[in-house]
Amino acid sequence: DAGVTQSPTHLIKTRGQQVTLRCSPKSGHDTVSWYQQALGQGPQFIFQYYEEEERQRGNFPDRFSGHQFPNYSSELNVNALLLGDSALYLCASSRRIEKLFFGSGTQLSVL
Amino acid sequence: GNSVTQMEGPVTLSEEAFLTINCTYTATGYPSLFWYVQYPGEGLQLLLKATKADDKGSNKGFEATYRKETTSFHLEKGSVQVSDSAVYFCALQSGGGADGLTFGKGTHLIIQP
């Protein structure tokens, strides 16, 4: 049984560009959450998707948006990239509000 | 708003030493509390949790007690091993489990043989 998978593992972009990160949840899970982990910091909650809708959102600007597909997989989109968006982006899945399982993350570098 | 404060690292101990990693929190209501561990090159894993005051979470020899009076959830282990070397994160969740997690900054634990 595959766990939470994220792609790509690493990504380099330049300021002003747009990026899309992808996440496939663990089998049987219907809820996907995204977190941003800056270097030396704990993860920060971006948003959560359930039934293809954004259910909860953390303190992130509208440049951060997402989507959940009928197969429960999810995308995180970031527009107009800033240097400060450089971070490890973590996806976590769960069956509704049960235990979270985290992926290994996508390391985004903005130059 | 919610916040979590945990001791700065790195924390370096010898094998078989006693471990304490302090964690205090600020939250509205009655949050659930968690310890997550991140081994090198791997994703975050839930280590243990407690959902109400005086609950004790335990796993793999680690334990932590939810202390509402001191708003703390300190992680302890009686005898650490080299394999316990990792980054440990304290976290809380409000909203009955529907809200996102609020994490501390993490504590890097290094165990020397």
Side-chain angles (χ1 to χ4, degrees):
Chain A
D1 173 30
V4 180
T5 59
Q6 294 186 240
S7 64
T9 54
H10 296 82
L11 201 52
I12 299 175
K13 293 286 189 179
T14 56
R15 279 181 300 174
Q17 285 189 312
Q18 178 265 344
V19 68
T20 297
L21 310 181
R22 295 178 176 82
C23 173
S24 292
K26 184 176 168 64
S27 178
H29 286 185
D30 57 10
T31 301
V32 173
S33 302
W34 287 92
Y35 289 80
Q36 180 196 66
Q37 186 177 11
L39 189 64
Q41 304 293 315
Q44 282 195 286
F45 175 67
I46 303 174
F47 42 53
Q48 179 192 84
Y49 276 83
Y50 171 66
E51 292 185 335
E52 302 180 49
E53 290 192 14
E54 185 183 294
R55 299 293 178 171
Q56 297 283 343
R57 189 179 182 92
N59 189 25
F60 278 80
D62 292 345
R63 297 187 298 109
F64 290 77
S65 63
H67 190 77
Q68 185 179 35
F69 299 94
N71 67 353
Y72 307 117
S73 67
S74 177
E75 290 181 348
L76 164 65
N77 300 293
V78 187
N79 293 322
L81 284 167
L82 304 174
L83 295 180
D85 295 332
S86 295
L88 180 67
Y89 288 84
L90 298 169
C91 172
S93 75
S94 64
R95 189 163 46 201
R96 201 54 187 108
I97 61 171
E98 295 178 0
K99 177 182 174 181
L100 285 180
F101 287 79
F102 282 83
S104 297
T106 294
Q107 184 66 55
L108 172 65
S109 299
V110 182
L111 306 179
Chain B
N2 295 339
S3 67
V4 174
T5 302
Q6 60 182 108
M7 61 192 294
E8 299 278 328
V11 173
T12 303
L13 296 173
S14 297
E15 205 166 20
E16 299 183 4
F18 184 85
L19 168 70
T20 299
I21 300 178
N22 290 335
C23 171
T24 57
Y25 68 89
T26 301
T28 54
Y30 303 94
S32 295
L33 301 175
F34 305 83
W35 278 99
Y36 279 83
V37 59
Q38 189 170 37
Y39 298 104
E42 298 184 17
L44 285 164
Q45 301 174 27
L46 178 64
L47 181 59
L48 53 84
K49 73 174 187 179
T51 57
K52 61 183 187 298
D54 300 325
D55 267 3
K56 177 184 285 188
S58 61
N59 186 25
K60 299 181 180 179
F62 291 90
E63 58 182 33
T65 301
Y66 189 143
R67 300 289 188 197
K68 189 172 186 298
E69 64 276 12
T70 55
T71 61
S72 65
F73 192 55
H74 305 320
L75 182 68
E76 296 181 336
K77 186 175 184 181
S79 176
V80 293
Q81 305 300 313
V82 171
S83 58
D84 293 327
S85 298
V87 182
Y88 292 81
F89 293 92
C90 184
L92 69 82
Q93 186 177 41
S94 299
D99 290 351
L101 290 163
T102 298
F103 285 89
K105 291 185 177 182
T107 301
H108 187 193
L109 176 64
I110 301 169
I111 306 301
Q112 297 178 332

